Structure formats: structure tokens, C-alpha cells
Amino acid sequence: MTISARPRSPWESMDLGFALARTWLGRLWLCWWLAAAPVALLSLPVLHQRPDLWLLLLWWCKPAFEAVTLFWLSRAVFGEQPGLGATARSLPQALPPRLWPQLLWRRIGMGRSFSMPVTLLEAPRGAARRQRLQVLGTGAAGWLTLVCVHLEAILWLSGVLLLAFLVPAGLPAPDLQAAFTETGSAPYWAANLLVVLAMSVVAPFYVAAGFALYLGRRTELEAWDLELAFRRRHAAPRGPRARAIAAAMLLTALLLPGTGAAAAMTPAEAKARIEAILAQPDFGGTREERVWVYVGDDSASSADDDGATALPAWLIQGLATLAKWVLVIATAWALIVLTLHLLREFGGPRRRGRRPTSTGPPGPVAQTSAPAEPLPANVPAAVHELLAARDVRGALGLLYRAQVAQLRARGLELADSATESECLRAARARTEPQALTRLERTVRLWQAVAYGHQPVDTDSVAALTRASDSASADDGHG
Amino acid sequence: MSTANPPSAERLEAARDALGRIEQAVNRAVIGQRQVVREVVVALAAAGHVLLEGLPGMGKTLLVRALAQALGGRFARVQFTPDLMPADITGHAVFDMKSEAFHIRRGPIFCNVLLGDEINRAPAKTQAAMLEAMQEQQVTVEGQSLALAPPFVVLATQNPIEQEGTYPLPLAQLDRFLLKSYIDYPGADDELTVVRTVTAGAVGDALDVSAVERVLEPEQVLAVQATAAALTLDDAVLDYALRLVRATRDWQGLDSGAGTRAAVALVRAARGHALLAGQSFVSPDDVKAMAPAVLRHRVRLGAELEIEGYRPDDVLTELLAAVDAPRA
């Protein structure tokens, strides 16, 4: 064995694993790619238009890639270091059918680095596997996964930023947003390749640390260190010298004084003598020691004792359930808010708008800028009413708004911010001449009345209204 | 709000004709910069000052000289440098040995059209010397206030690229400019015409404004400005202008919005624009057309947008598309 087997804490075991990975990093990395490269290359023709799915496939197959690394490492630790060719030939052995559950329902698990050695090297099945894992416990494997996920993310982001920063100033700046959002773009592919590279670099450390955790746990539970020491002793060279030593030890034992007296004693005498020896101060006696032991909160115990002030169990249970659901809902809400925020930030073109300040969005400063009222159902009648009331401005305003609304109904995109000339410009492209003439006349009259404060003949407005009305009726019949 | 005495049709026509002739005359000398020329003429009608920003060799000085030639007023040019002193612009008192008294020697600012070339190369103290002249149309020399003869228009230029050794204009100074115009590269055809025209029979690279005829007298300019100020302005249009200016103060991406002087400037510029179009009233179209030039130097982009390469015009375009136009 190339490592010293002794009880280690989980953190020390992981450190040992990282040291192993550093020692054989090249070999372990190649082992990972031995399994990953065929999957990556064979899936490319199918998924070359969906790099996101390609990356998902590689990520999902990570246990298979790590199995090959583990296969090589488990042999290297015990002194055998198969070459790359030998490892390739051993792939069927390294990827046994019992690996499938790791790629299916056990794929999402935090303790994979620890359970893989159990699954692949010990090969227990079903209940035996569960029992074995229960006995061994996953230890700090969850933390190991968490650390390695972060390492992968850091490596990936560092790689992306490094590439972005190294682009010379004269060349077009790389589109970082495209690297994260625009599936199929060159930056997106580059980012995906960097993810795979980061996975391959971290994998040897992950596998080795998990394997070291496994070894440490077995050393602790099954005294591997002692067993190995005995085996070493057992495997020590035997020969004349060993026999001479054994003979000398036997002779010494036989010649030691007192052995004859011991043989002369009866069992009862021997027992009495042993009890006498054990009763001596060196072997017996009692001693009183006082230590501080935490026994819990006094107030809690006193409250428990005081039945009158204790809350009923159903109330405590209810409050606990309520608190739990409040926590769940708050967490879900926070996740939704965070997701929406991230989508806003990275999910598309940057949107800007009114700043949510205490002053609110820019609003009208006078009554005239208040939002226009909705159009009446019968616009011509409303216009005639306004004309009868000598409100020419109101009548023309209504007529203008109604014509703009008609343009919108015909599919013309007119924002509320469009001014009169912008409406006319948009209408010129997609409106028939008669309607355009009516609109131009309406706008001219409206501007003269509203902005120029010029008198306008009400008859011309009424005629314009009738023309618009008949045109609308024709449209309706058509 | 409407004007008590809206201009008569004849007066309106005369003013529009005068502005049209100025625009035409300047366009004959400055080829391919119609938008900038139009904005400068609008500023002239609104009695405002213009900050011209553009790369060297884009015709900024030519534009100003052509305008001065067309106006027939007195033209002066000040090349701003780091060692330029305020007195070099405004003037100073000199002791006359013969009369044994101090006499005021007036600086180049006493003119009708002043070209402040590369204004951001002078320190803030010298830039500030123009504040009084631009705002109050007067200059104080040795404690004595001297009025500037109207019309008085400052056209200052600055280079947007070379920032080394420059003093960016403070917001207070920028606010005194009615408009800020960008002089961009002309189109290929226009550039061909420029090169052909300038090199035909010309020796050296002196600016030739001989083709620009004198179309107005300073007094006529004052009449045009009075006509613009008398155009009818409806409350709805005024409200629209105000809402545009106020929107800049609550707009995401802008660190600081435009002040009240910006609203005043926007209405003045809209009047000039309406007059140039021959209208007797100001419409929302005039306000919207002049908003970018009036507001772009009065808003300050946030650091994030600046880093991303946005320009104030990008934000203003979005803002204009978000503020509702008057409909009734």
C-alpha cells in the first residue's frame, strides 16, 4: 500500500485524497477523459446545435467518468499502476452494470464520492448496500461535493473571464452575455468547453478525496491499520534467523524463575493469589472524581415541572408547523424573486425604465396631461355633441384620437408617445389615400385649434366627422 | 398659455424667410451637416448658445465663420488654451500715459458671434469668465459692467476624443448652452463634394467662406428672435416639455437629470424650431425634435451605462418613446 493506513479525521482523509490527486494528477485526468472523450465526441453530431443539452449529457455522465478514475486509483493505492492502455482494456471492468443506478436514480446525491467506492469496489447489492453504507456513514462527503462544485464554478468563471480579458484591445470585445445566454453562439460554446474542462480538472481531486474518506472510515471501523500491520509481520522473512530468535524466546520463557511455582499451584490457590494481587493499590481501589456535565437548561426543566404554565402539546405542534410553513413560503418567495432578478439581469437584452424611486414615475404636472378618457362607443355622436356645445377643441381632439385608434386597430404600431407628425408618417406607409387625407385634415385642424388657438369653422369639423363615420361604416360592412 | 400678441402672418413669413436664407447660406459652405446647421439656426432664432462637439476637421470652425458671415455681425474667435486668462476674453484696463487714466480695452467677447474653439482646454476659471456674458449678456471689467451688443451668440467647440490635458465643462457652464450638437462624419457623397469643392483652385487649407453671402443684419436677427418669442404656446405643449424634462430626473441610468433651465431652454428651442418650420405656434413635434439637443448635455449618465458605452442620446431616445405626447 502506498499510503500509511491509520485512523484519520474526515478532513485529514480529504487532505490525503487531495495529496494523492496531486501525485497522480496527469494519470487521473487522462482516466477521466478516457471515458468522457468518447461520450463528448459521439454526442456532438446529434447535439451540435444544442450545446446546453450536450453539456447536460456530459454533466449527467460524470459518475461513469469518475468510475474509471476510481478504478485506476484503487489499484494505484495498493501499488499497482496500470498504464493507459491497460486501463482502456479494463473499461468493461471499470464500468460494471451496477454503475447504472448511479447514472439514473442515484445521480443526484451529495455523497457520491463516498458511495462510489462502496458500490464499485465492494459490490454489495440492494439491502446489503444500504446496510453497508449505513454502517460506514457518508461522513463529510456532502461537504466534499459542495466544495468541489464551488471549485468547478470558480474555475469555469475564471476561465471565461481570463479569455475575455486576454482579447487584445483592437479586436471586438467578447460578448460575455452571449456566453451565458445565447445558445449556439461561439462564446456559449467556449463557455461550455470551459465547464467541461473545469469538471475534468476537479474530478481527480473529488474522486481521490472520496476514496480517501472511504479508506479512512474503514480503517476506523475495521482496524485496517492493525490488520495491515499483522499482515506485514506475517509476510516478514522466515528463515534460520527467525527460527533462532523463536528458539531463544522459548528458552528464555522456560528458564524464567517462578514458572515452576506457578505450575505447582492449584487453580484455587492461584485464584486467591490473583485476587490478593488485584486488591493491592496498584490494581484496585476506588477514586471519586467530580466533573462538570451539561444537563440542559434549568428554566426549561422547571417549566416542564410546572404543569400549569406549560403550553399544550397541540399548540406547540401547531406553532411549529406554522413556523415551518412560513419558512418554506418565505424561502420559495425569496427563490422566485432571486430567479426573476437573475432572469432580468442575464436573461435578455438589458431593459431600462423608470427608476423605482419614492418620487414615482414621471407624471403629468398639470391637468392637461392627465390620461385621456376612453373613447365613447359612438364617436360621431360625441363629436356632434361637443360641437353643439361649441367645444371645437374637444371635438377635434376626440376625432383625432378616434382616428389614431382606428390606425392601431388596423395593425399600425403607434405608441402613446407618438406626436401628430409621427402618426402621419406611420400612416402614410400603410393607409389608403382617402383615410390618409382625412387624417391629415384632422391633424391640421386639431393643431390649429389646440396649439395655434386659431378659430376653425364647426361645419368643416362636422363634415370631417361625417366622412370619418361613413368610412368607418364602409369598413364595418366590408 | 398663449401669447398676447401673436406675430402677424407677414412678420412670421419674414422671419421664416430670414432663417431659411441663413440656413441655406451656411449649408452652402458647410456641406453634409444639415442637422447641425439647422440646430445652430434654431439656436440663433431662440437667442441661445451652442456647444459643438465633433472630431477635428469636421467643419466646426467653418460653420461658425459661415454663420457670422451670413449674419453680417462682428465675429471673434478665441482659441482656448490652458494658459488663457479670463481677461484675455473679457478685456482689461490699461493705463494711458498720455491721459494718465485707465482705459478699458475690450476683449474679443464684445462681438455678435463668438467662436470659443476647444473650450475645454482652458481651466475652469477662464471658462467661468464666459458665464456672465452668456447668461446676462454683459461683462464686468474692473468692476464696470459693460453690456454686450445684441445679438450675442456663443458657439463653442470641443473634441470628444482627446481628454488629456482638458478641463471638462462644469454642469453650470454646460447649462448655459441652449443646445449641444454633434458634428458627425458626413456621408460619402457629401464628403466627396467637400473635398472637390475645397481643393478646386484653392491654395493651402484656409477656410473659404466667400461663397456665403450676407443675408441678414444684426437688427433683423433681433426681429427674428422677437418673432420666435411671440409664437403661440399652448399649455398642453408646455406641459409636454415639462414632463420630458422631469422624466430625466427619475430615469434609471441617469445620475442627474435636467434642471428647470433645461425646461426653459427646451421651450425656447421649440419656438425656434417652429419658426423655422413657418408655424405660428409651437407643437409637440417641435418640442420632441429639439429635446435631444437640449437635454443631452444636461443629463449625466450613470457609471454603469457609461462603462457599457451608452451615450446620453441612447437614453433620451428611450425617454422620448416613453413619455406620452398630448392627445387632447
Side-chain angles (χ1 to χ4, degrees), chain B residues 208-249:
Chain B
D208 183 14
V209 291
S210 58
V212 180
E213 58 191 16
R214 186 169 176 166
V215 295
L216 277 187
E217 294 300 326
E219 297 75 25
Q220 290 174 292
V221 175
L222 293 178
V224 168
Q225 291 174 347
T227 306
L231 294 186
T232 304
L233 178 69
D234 186 67
D235 281 345
V237 181
L238 181 63
D239 172 47
Y240 178 54
L242 269 180
R243 279 188 290 127
L244 284 177
V245 171
R246 290 175 69 84
T248 62
R249 300 168 194 167

Side-chain angles (χ1 to χ4, degrees), chain A residues 288-327:
Chain A
E288 189 175 341
E289 286 188 1
R290 290 177 182 274
V291 292
W292 290 94
V293 177
Y294 181 68
V295 294
D297 194 358
D298 281 349
S299 59
S301 60
S302 63
D304 289 343
D305 295 338
D306 187 1
T309 57
L311 291 172
W314 61 268
L315 183 59
I316 295 172
Q317 183 69 27
L319 286 173
T321 308
L322 181 69
K324 184 179 84 174
W325 281 108
V326 166
L327 194 64

